[in-house]
Amino acid sequence: MQTKKTDKAIRTAQYKSTFLTPTEFMARKGKTVYISKEFHQKLNLLVFMLGGSKLTLADYLQNTSASF
């Protein structure tokens, strides 16, 4: 049981360090990407809930894209 909790904690920490870390990227220096309003709202909510006020949607997308 303890191992499962430890594994989950490790995976959560890895996810946060990979995807929920603010970057130096400035959205206005990038390219425009068009997504639906609904998808934008969902992503903004996800970023807000997981990253708080320290993370922007551009940071999350930059981190996600860099992982590929």
Side-chain angles (χ1 to χ4, degrees):
M1 182 85 163
Q2 185 66 21
T3 305
K4 287 184 180 182
K5 287 182 180 180
T6 304
D7 290 345
K8 185 176 180 179
I10 291 170
R11 285 193 313 269
T12 300
Q14 288 173 335
Y15 184 87
K16 286 182 177 182
S17 69
T18 302
F19 300 112
L20 303 178
T21 304
T23 66
E24 302 273 328
F25 179 72
M26 298 181 79
R28 66 177 174 260
K29 291 185 179 181
K31 296 286 186 179
T32 301
V33 177
Y34 296 98
I35 59 175
S36 70
K37 186 176 182 178
E38 178 185 359
F39 191 59
H40 187 268
Q41 289 171 338
K42 287 180 180 181
L43 282 172
N44 270 334
L45 180 60
L46 173 74
V47 168
F48 176 77
M49 290 174 65
L50 298 177
S53 61
K54 298 177 184 178
L55 191 71
T56 66
L57 179 54
D59 288 331
Y60 181 72
L61 293 175
Q62 181 73 13
N63 291 333
T64 304
S65 298
S67 73
F68 291 102

